[in-house]
Amino acid sequence: MTSREILTIQLGHYSNFIGAHWWNIQETNFSYDPDNPSEINNDVLYREGENLKKQVTYTPRLLLIDLKGAFGYLKEEGSLYDTQSKEVQQSLWDDEKVEILKEETIDKPQFIKSLDEPSTTSDSVSTSFNLENNINSWVDYLVPRFHPRTVNVIKQYRHNDTMHPFNVFTYGSNLWNTEQFSDDFSERIRAYVEECDLMQGFQVILDSVDGFAGIGTSCIQYLRDEYGKSIMSFPCMDSKKSEPSTSNMIKILNTALCWQHLGEHASLFSPLCCAQTVWPKIGDPRIFNYLTYNSELKYHSSVLLATALDTLTIRYRRKEYPNVVLSDLCADLNKMGRKAVATSLTLPFPMSAKTDLIDVLDNFEGNLWTSLTPNCDISMDKNMQSIVLRGIPEERLKRPISYAMKQISKPAYRCSTVHEMMMLYLSCNSHASATYLSNISLPLNIRFPYPKIFNNNITETGDIIDCPWRLLVGTDVQSVPVMAGLHSGNNLSAMYESLYNQLSRIKSIKKFHVFTDSGLEEDEFNECLNHLLDCKENYEDHYI
């Protein structure tokens, strides 16, 4: 089977929190049972290789960037290909004549150490560690191993450095324009691309509120100019609240510049955050009826974003339809220059215990999805949308005709597949919307270190029960049905308008010396403002 490969790029500390969960989720959902193969083609995002010991490796087709000091125990060259010999190193110099400066070695967290113990089971691990209180960085719960070219360290800036923070868009764009950085990173991109047989494009996750926005948009411009493939981008924002300060306006300006450049060079982009609003300051978290999570913890908020990404990208990762690719998704949603889309998540999909899909949909009231895009609530109507549903097997569609009872009187009983019934539901409840629906029967498998965020009325298989009987929050949840989607509609106009209103409070960019000193001109700032206003008008109802 031909795999239409995708290269994933993660830029920034919070983006790597999301990425760590995403790769954990994918490896948790690998199927090693030949009688029950996966419906997902993992070769789209993974690559097979061989290390110097002739061992076969299977690693993410991934490039990631973070600041010095954010990687903890993780070596830049990874661990799968580590063949350095102390004897060889010592033979290269005379210790009496050379002064050797060596950084302090950082020990692996206990959870990471436990992954190397073959006798350790996921159940014993989940009861042994409390990661909620022990996560300092995304590497502390990272399960997969990486290829040597995956990890890239920015050594000019240090993580959590308050004296010289990497917090300005132009810092990132200037760093990309240095010959050493851009040549090295673009060479790593080229090495991945040349390994692919039939590449379909790129996925780019980037922090949008600091210098990584500048690196990310510069990288995306390079990808567009050099390869001409589809680029799906997810600019991310942490939902941790902070006191109002000047740094909030810096983040707003960084975000506006990021979105402007993504609108010019990406094929499609969707802002992500677990907060309902993010400017002028972080607002209340998004509410999920069956989840209890702490939006202040990156470890918690990032797993919701990762779950959404893993589900909505199934559209172009399915084995059944290998010719459905990323460019199709982008072409469906970026009509009339509308490059921005909103992301939704339904976790878990509200299947009640011992109830069929036909009854769940017939009794459901309200909005079926929750927005993960800040300052944007996604309506059910007037959308161009791509939706993916996973975890509803065909046997839970409806009862056999001999036991159908009241079901047989419903129009949906004529539907013979989950896909057909969901499309009927959406056509009745999403007026003036054009929907592309993908679905697979296998649910999302939940294994540690996925946080324990499910309420105590969720069963082991993700069903909702009326009488909760667990003592602990979601301890025994093993799998859940999930729905996620991308939506392009007039609701995004409010998102652009709110960002424009905040940014227009800056009367002159000259008051922000960190931007002007690093090369941002007044004309560029005004162009950014005008871009936000144009996008706001482009999403208003009279354009539909």
Side-chain angles (χ1 to χ4, degrees), residues 122-133:
S122 60
D123 292 335
S124 63
V125 168
S126 64
T127 57
S128 301
F129 302 103
N130 178 16
L131 293 186
E132 274 80 0
N133 299 322

Side-chain angles (χ1 to χ4, degrees), residues 19 32 38 85 126 196 207 232 280 335 338 348 374 406 428 471:
Y32 302 98
S38 174
S85 170
S126 64
C196 300
D207 292 4
M232 181 68 192
K335 306 295 185 184
R338 294 179 169 185
K406 293 182 180 180
C428 295
L471 298 177

Side-chain angles (χ1 to χ4, degrees), residues 1-6 43-44 46-48 61 191-201 229:
M1 180 177 63
T2 302
S3 297
R4 300 292 300 269
E5 302 94 343
I6 287 178
D43 292 338
V44 173
Y46 279 73
R47 63 179 296 279
E48 184 176 304
R61 189 178 295 104
Y192 271 128
V193 172
E194 290 186 351
E195 292 175 349
C196 300
D197 294 324
L198 194 60
M199 188 176 192
Q200 58 174 299
K229 302 288 186 179

Side-chain angles (χ1 to χ4, degrees), residues 129-136 294 297 299-300:
F129 302 103
N130 178 16
L131 293 186
E132 274 80 0
N133 299 322
N134 295 287
I135 296 293
N136 296 314
N294 184 357
L297 290 179
Y299 174 60
H300 275 196

Side-chain angles (χ1 to χ4, degrees), residues 428-441:
C428 295
N429 291 274
S430 296
H431 305 293
S433 293
T435 304
Y436 185 102
L437 175 69
S438 306
N439 69 288
I440 61 174
S441 60

Side-chain angles (χ1 to χ4, degrees), residues 63-77:
L63 289 170
L64 64 85
I65 301 178
D66 211 331
L67 303 181
K68 184 178 181 180
F71 292 91
Y73 67 88
L74 186 64
K75 297 179 181 179
E76 190 169 353
E77 68 274 9

Side-chain angles (χ1 to χ4, degrees), residues 376-411:
C376 178
D377 293 319
I378 307 169
S379 68
M380 292 287 289
D381 301 331
K382 299 180 181 178
N383 288 317
M384 303 285 291
Q385 53 197 19
S386 172
I387 296 172
V388 178
L389 173 65
R390 68 178 302 171
I392 311 296
E394 300 296 337
E395 54 266 26
R396 294 202 64 180
L397 180 65
K398 59 185 180 181
R399 297 175 191 170
I401 192 168
S402 56
Y403 300 98
M405 301 176 68
K406 293 182 180 180
Q407 288 185 1
I408 202 169
S409 63
K410 300 175 182 179

